[in-house]
Amino acid sequence: MFTGIVECLGTVVEFTRLDTTAAGGNGASLAISGARSILDDCHLGDSIAINGTCLTVTEFTDDMFKVGLAPETLSRTNLGKLQPGDR
């Protein structure tokens, strides 16, 4: 169960509506930077919440991670409206 603890505040690097990379899976994706403090024990497939929405990590580096966004997620959240630089 999630407890609502905010561990870090990242910055949107990129929102891609049609991500054709292997990590994008031909769907929408969101890349977030400034997340070094939570990525030291991250694994592909882990869940990270963005704006209260739990999403699956599809790619990560030491400071950035990418998550996939399903059509239902885009229709029910504000995640599709995020732009580079948003926090």
Side-chain angles (χ1 to χ4, degrees):
M1 168 138 172
F2 292 102
T3 60
I5 296 171
V6 176
E7 292 187 56
C8 80
L9 182 64
T11 302
V12 174
V13 175
E14 181 177 36
F15 170 72
T16 306
R17 191 153 301 275
L18 179 59
D19 188 342
T20 59
T21 67
N26 290 319
S29 69
L30 189 62
I32 306 292
S33 68
R36 182 178 306 272
S37 64
I38 63 167
L39 295 175
D40 57 338
D41 65 347
C42 185
H43 301 88
L44 291 179
D46 283 358
S47 294
I48 296 178
I50 300 174
N51 289 4
T53 304
C54 195
L55 301 165
T56 303
V57 175
T58 59
E59 180 181 324
F60 67 97
T61 65
D62 60 344
D63 186 60
M64 182 277 305
F65 66 93
K66 182 187 279 190
V67 293
L69 301 169
E72 185 76 6
T73 301
L74 291 172
S75 72
R76 295 184 175 267
T77 68
N78 73 337
L79 297 175
K81 296 178 179 159
L82 295 176
Q83 299 178 9
D86 285 348
R87 293 183 56 101

